[in-house]
Amino acid sequence: MKRAGVLLLAAVPVIATGVYFVMPTDSADAPVAPPAASAQSSRQDAKSRAEQEREADDALIADLPPGLADPAKKELAQQLVSSAENSTTEWRTSYGTIDDLGDGCGYTAGIIGFCTATHDLLTLVERYTKAHPDNGLATYLPALREVDGTDSHEGLDPGFTAAWQAEAERPEFRKAQEEERDRVYFEPAVRLAKLDGLGTLGQFVYFDAMVFHGPDTDADGFYGLRERAMEKAKTPARAGSEKAYLKAFLDVRREAMLAKRPGIDTSRVDTAQRRWLREGNLDLDVPLVWEMYGDTYRLP
């Protein structure tokens, strides 16, 4: 909901590649590799290594329990996030939700809090329009591109909110919201959490952080927070304690939330995720009880 600018990253290692040039030898007959060919070969080698590492990661994940990807757990995850994003566990009532919360993100809308200022709402509408060109939001694409990165409503008012709500009545747009939620937030978060050796609770902790902070590499984006947490505690994949690492991650995340918006309500960390961590509920088993912004929620 309250996110920084979005930078989409796959949960695979980033490989730095060097471009080298083969210098001439003393022999006039010695072949010299063209610089362009060397660079292309280097890129192909890097791509091949990245593909091999991803395949190895896929094989590792395939042998693990489904965790948060289990349909029942995934449904639970949407209910938990919705309690923070839309103050209800009935997340399917939020497709048409749209409002400016005054947090600098412009309009916040839909089941996951897509924002006009953080690129994800624009991407959603662009992808949806490619599949359904005649939709009621397509005419707002030029304005959405102009306000991307700002909290401006220029070109959106007065009709955009009504158009969003009307489009949210269509099954196609509801499906598009769910697919974009999974593509940008859920699947990358769960994948990386599994590679870090985290169980179902840890996978949810990553997912919720990805939603709130955005999949960014800057200090306050999800990947930046993860790097800072890893400086404080080892992940289970690196022979660390799962509880100690998750505590470090939640500490770093809470600091980032307060630094960005002093006085912000940190319920989603303090009286939900941290509570389950203290209880040792690493599998995120029901029943669950938590508080969000002063309200108590229970899932039997």
Side-chain angles (χ1 to χ4, degrees):
M1 181 167 63
K2 306 171 185 68
R3 293 184 289 269
V6 173
L7 172 65
L8 305 182
L9 295 175
V12 294
V14 178
I15 301 175
T17 60
V19 178
Y20 66 92
F21 301 94
V22 179
M23 301 302 293
T25 65
D26 292 337
S27 171
D29 297 328
V32 178
S38 298
Q40 182 178 4
S41 175
S42 179
R43 288 193 295 270
Q44 290 175 341
D45 289 345
K47 181 179 179 181
S48 176
R49 289 195 298 272
E51 290 174 346
Q52 290 172 2
E53 290 187 15
R54 185 172 183 88
E55 288 174 359
D57 289 344
D58 288 342
L60 173 64
I61 291 172
D63 290 335
L64 297 174
L68 205 66
D70 176 85
K73 294 292 188 183
K74 183 177 180 180
E75 175 68 19
L76 175 63
Q78 311 318 314
Q79 292 174 300
L80 299 177
V81 168
S82 183
S83 73
E85 293 288 321
N86 293 304
S87 297
T88 177
T89 57
E90 301 294 330
W91 64 271
R92 292 179 178 83
T93 65
S94 302
Y95 294 102
T97 300
I98 182 167
D99 196 10
D100 190 325
L101 304 176
D103 55 6
C105 292
Y107 281 122
T108 296
I111 57 172
I112 209 68
F114 301 103
C115 297
T116 54
T118 59
H119 197 67
D120 57 346
L121 190 147
L122 170 60
T123 301
L124 166 64
V125 176
E126 285 180 333
R127 291 170 65 88
Y128 179 59
T129 299
K130 185 175 181 180
H132 305 278
D134 297 327
N135 74 82
L137 298 173
T139 57
Y140 291 96
L141 276 172
L144 288 171
R145 295 185 182 111
E146 286 295 321
V147 303
D148 190 29
T150 78
D151 62 357
S152 172
H153 293 184
E154 186 174 356
L156 299 177
D157 291 340
F160 181 68
T161 56
W164 179 279
Q165 291 166 345
E167 203 64 30
E169 297 296 322
R170 299 183 61 184
E172 297 87 351
F173 189 50
R174 296 184 175 203
K175 180 181 179 183
Q177 288 192 40
E178 294 180 26
E179 289 176 345
E180 200 68 3
R181 172 201 64 199
D182 292 350
R183 185 183 73 88
V184 178
Y185 301 107
F186 186 82
E187 292 169 359
V190 172
R191 176 184 176 83
L192 185 55
K194 288 183 176 182
L195 293 176
D196 282 347
L198 301 176
T200 307
L201 174 59
Q203 293 162 31
F204 175 74
V205 166
Y206 272 22
F207 173 46
D208 188 66
M210 186 88 78
V211 168
F212 186 92
H213 296 275
D216 300 0
T217 56
D218 59 28
D220 294 329
F222 169 79
Y223 291 98
L225 297 180
R226 174 175 172 267
E227 289 295 323
R228 288 160 58 187
M230 291 172 67
E231 292 173 359
K232 295 177 177 293
K234 292 182 179 180
T235 65
R238 297 183 179 182
S241 161
E242 183 170 10
K243 293 185 72 172
Y245 172 73
L246 288 176
K247 181 181 182 302
F249 185 90
L250 292 176
D251 288 346
V252 167
R253 184 186 173 188
R254 187 176 189 276
E255 291 172 5
M257 292 173 71
L258 291 171
K260 183 176 179 64
R261 292 192 64 204
I264 189 175
D265 189 315
T266 56
S267 295
R268 63 202 300 161
V269 170
D270 297 332
T271 54
Q273 297 167 39
R274 204 185 294 277
R275 174 176 183 166
W276 303 323
L277 180 61
R278 285 197 304 267
E279 294 170 350
N281 190 358
L282 298 178
D283 291 328
L284 203 59
D285 290 328
V286 292
L288 287 177
V289 179
W290 72 101
E291 287 78 39
M292 192 69 65
Y293 315 136
D295 295 327
T296 300
Y297 294 86
R298 293 180 174 85
L299 289 177

